[in-house]
Amino acid sequence: MNWTDVGALSDIPLRGARMVKTAKGCVAIFRTDEEELFATSNSCAHKQGPLAEGIVHGRKVTCPLHSWTYSLETGEAQGADAGSIATYPVRTEAGRVLLDVSTLAQKAPA
């Protein structure tokens, strides 16, 4: 794995997200109310809405454009919607958020 520091954990509010630009595209880093971190593609599979601006609830995010909801764990669309977004390994260390950038090329959405 190729862990890269992408910012301070304190910069991501509970039930919020931050968008990180990488050489392979934009990644959304989410922080749940249970203090869990998840990383996904920042683009909704429906109309490429900015997921980092969506509503985080439990282990899900709802796109701000057309209300598609995705599992932050699997990237799968929920309910009647079909599709998925890429998910990436993310962790914290000493208050910093680390993203495994080696997986970005493998999982980048088409």
Side-chain angles (χ1 to χ4, degrees), residues 31-98:
R31 187 175 176 196
T32 70
D33 56 358
E34 297 293 324
E35 299 267 357
E36 297 173 294
L37 282 183
F38 295 94
T40 73
S41 165
N42 191 48
S43 296
C44 174
H46 176 230
K47 297 278 184 177
Q48 289 67 52
L51 293 177
E53 297 176 22
I55 298 168
V56 178
H57 46 103
R59 291 180 168 177
K60 297 176 183 167
V61 63
T62 299
C63 179
L65 295 185
H66 299 101
S67 298
W68 278 41
T69 299
Y70 296 92
S71 165
L72 293 173
E73 295 172 283
T74 66
E76 295 297 317
Q78 305 294 288
D81 299 324
S84 65
I85 54 174
T87 60
Y88 309 108
V90 64
R91 65 184 176 104
T92 61
E93 186 175 295
R96 304 296 297 176
V97 177
L98 305 175

